[in-house]
Amino acid sequence: GCCSNCGRVALKLLRCKGKCGGDASYCNKSCQKADWKMHKKICPVGGKSAQKLTFEMSHPPGHPFAELPNAAPVQAVRRMDAYGGSGMTLLYSDHLGIEPLMPYADLLFCCDDVEDTCEKAQWMGEGNHSYEAH
């Protein structure tokens, strides 16, 4: 995995045990403490609830997916960029189930049959494929 604060790749990371559901992982306590200002927005303390990170993304006119019957189910995830800066990326999400992902899987991967489409949609829903908004 990759540290949510410094971006260091490591086999063993400390996962956050807060309301984010373990969305963030850290090399050590120092990295966790350094990241708290940003991370507390999705992992609040006390009785507060975390900000919703899953939603549906509508397609602008002219987008290759604009003709699909439903908006893309996505999740916003914090990621380190190539320069060590923290940012957000959109990944396909299965928070609405696999069915809404199937048309996207079929178009993106030119699936051979329904079984292949289901397999690719499942893989996408696990947060393995970025959503491109352009």
Side-chain angles (χ1 to χ4, degrees), residues 28-50:
N28 53 47
K29 292 278 186 189
S30 297
C31 272
Q32 184 178 16
K33 188 174 180 178
D35 189 48
W36 180 242
K37 184 177 180 180
M38 179 66 116
H39 186 64
K40 70 181 177 182
K41 294 174 183 172
I42 62 167
C43 191
V45 295
K48 299 177 183 175
S49 59

Side-chain angles (χ1 to χ4, degrees), residues 38-71:
M38 179 66 116
H39 186 64
K40 70 181 177 182
K41 294 174 183 172
I42 62 167
C43 191
V45 295
K48 299 177 183 175
S49 59
Q51 293 176 4
K52 190 173 181 181
L53 298 177
T54 56
F55 52 95
E56 294 177 74
M57 178 67 79
S58 296
H59 310 294
H63 188 279
F65 296 151
E67 301 302 316
L68 290 178
N70 57 332

